[in-house]
């Protein structure tokens, strides 16, 4: 089984449901609440800057609209990614991956960077993110990369083979062992609804670590931990705290 330095509880999209997702405000909130690791979604601007955004488009989580990956960072940097969530976050900008690295350095926290490519940019995003992570996190705890995109993971593997990778699954795939082995994954990041005790045992027997998302019921988190899951990624920062299950 691979070396696994990551804590048991991971704050989803920075600060769960308590702040606008994937912003520095969310990450700061998670850190203030004592979380030692957070997850965030990274993609490329048209001019190659790496920033945080879950969707391909801006409308759900900002005051702007359109495909973010078709815009330059100069345009994206002026977007308000906080007002949609609440007045207290008005003017909160989109976050650059370099700012995320700075937070990790300042506060000694870890990160799971989900490579979330704009459709069509899978290979380029995997490569650019992996190379940037290698530089930005030099001398710090290594981020855990993950993606639903096999192409992005393969590109990350080629560009920076030493970075740990996890395959994301939102549907069960009987081919998981071949896929994770080919991509050199240390972990599988899986929708917890797809798991039962037998599947957890099979994944672990194959030497994989398991991160489950998005687990918001404490009872369910306890069950998954009993089955042997390594990491719980949660939006419920009120009830699943950083020391949950310890
Ligand atoms: O990485 C875990 C989780 O974030 C994957 O789903 O859609 O929330 O990015 P999503
Ligand atoms: Mg994500």
């Amino acid at each position: 089984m691979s070396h696994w330095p990551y804590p048991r509880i991971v704050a989803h999209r920075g600060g769960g449901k308590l702040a606008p997702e994937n912003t520095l405000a969310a990450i700061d909130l998670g850190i203030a609440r004592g979380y030692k690791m957070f997850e965030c979604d990274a993609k490329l601007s048209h001019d190659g800057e790496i920033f945080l955004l879950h969707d391909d488009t801006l409308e759900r989580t900002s005051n702007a609209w359109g495909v973010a990956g078709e815009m330059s960072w100069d345009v994206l940097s002026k977007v308000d990614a906080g007002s949609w969530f609440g007045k207290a976050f008005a003017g909160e900008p989109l976050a650059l991956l370099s700012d995320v690295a700075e937070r990790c350095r300042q506060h000694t926290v870890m990160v799971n960077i989900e490579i979330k490519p704009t459709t069509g940019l899978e290979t380029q995003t995997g490569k650019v993110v992996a190379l940037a992570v290698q530089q930005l996190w030099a001398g710090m705890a290594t981020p855990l990369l993950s993606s639903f995109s096999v192409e992005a993971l393969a590109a990350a593997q080629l560009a920076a083979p030493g970075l740990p990778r996890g395959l994301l699954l939102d549907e069960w795939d009987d081919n998981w062992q071949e896929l994770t082995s080919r991509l050199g994954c240390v972990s599988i990041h899986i929708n917890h609804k797809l798991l039962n005790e037998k599947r957890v045992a099979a994944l672990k027997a194959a030497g994989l670590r398991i991160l489950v998302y998005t687990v918001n019921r404490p009872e369910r988190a306890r069950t998954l931990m009993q089955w042997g899951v390594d990491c719980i990624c949660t939006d419920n920062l009120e009830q699943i705290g950083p020391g949950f299950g310890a």
Side-chain angles (χ1 to χ4, degrees):
M1 182 106 22
S2 59
H3 175 60
W4 187 257
Y6 306 110
R8 194 64 68 92
I9 307 294
V10 176
H12 190 223
R13 303 185 192 175
K17 294 278 187 206
L18 295 179
E21 63 184 59
N22 282 311
T23 62
L24 292 179
I27 291 167
D28 287 344
L29 189 143
I31 291 170
R33 288 189 167 232
Y35 288 84
K36 296 294 176 210
M37 185 161 175
F38 59 90
E39 182 264 3
C40 60
D41 304 298
K43 56 170 47 68
L44 293 180
S45 69
H46 189 61
D47 51 347
E49 293 292 339
I50 306 167
F51 68 102
L52 305 190
L53 189 72
H54 181 277
D55 302 355
D56 267 12
T57 57
L58 289 160
E59 37 268 38
R60 184 178 62 83
T61 56
S62 85
N63 67 339
W65 60 92
V67 178
E70 293 175 355
M71 299 175 194
S72 68
W73 178 247
D74 187 47
V75 170
L76 292 168
S77 64
K78 298 177 179 77
V79 164
D80 174 352
S83 291
W84 70 276
F85 188 89
K87 275 188 192 151
F89 296 98
E92 179 69 29
L94 294 168
L96 282 169
L97 193 68
S98 53
D99 295 329
V100 175
E102 206 41 53
R103 288 299 200 274
C104 290
R105 196 177 293 282
Q106 278 167 5
H107 300 281
T108 324
V109 292
M110 299 190 195
V111 61
N112 166 206
I113 300 169
E114 183 188 338
I115 305 170
K116 197 77 134 177
T118 301
T119 306
L121 294 181
E122 288 80 4
T123 298
Q124 190 189 346
T125 309
K127 176 183 172 182
V128 172
V129 170
L131 290 174
V133 165
Q134 237 177 3
Q135 284 205 336
L136 291 168
W137 268 266
M140 281 191 269
T142 314
L144 178 59
L145 302 182
S146 60
S147 192
F148 287 109
S149 164
V150 168
E151 290 79 11
L153 287 174
Q157 181 183 24
L158 197 63
L163 294 177
R165 290 171 299 284
L167 175 68
L168 268 158
L169 286 184
D170 201 46
E171 281 174 26
W172 184 256
D173 186 339
D174 282 331
N175 204 27
W176 60 267
Q177 197 153 9
E178 191 275 322
L179 269 176
T180 51
S181 155
R182 175 154 54 90
L183 295 164
C185 290
V186 298
S187 52
I188 197 148
H189 299 207
I190 187 162
N191 184 329
H192 74 95
K193 292 174 186 158
L194 301 175
L195 287 183
N196 54 37
E197 195 165 9
K198 202 172 150 200
R199 282 182 173 175
V200 170
L203 295 168
K204 289 192 83 73
L208 289 166
R209 301 289 186 160
I210 306 172
L211 178 148
V212 281
Y213 69 90
T214 307
V215 183
N216 293 330
R217 283 195 309 111
E219 204 39 50
R220 179 64 174 166
R222 258 186 279 277
T223 300
L224 289 157
M225 283 175 163
Q226 275 161 15
W227 289 349
V229 157
D230 297 280
C231 276
I232 305 275
C233 189
T234 186
D235 275 329
N236 188 354
L237 271 49
E238 300 288 12
Q239 289 183 295
I240 303 181
F244 183 87

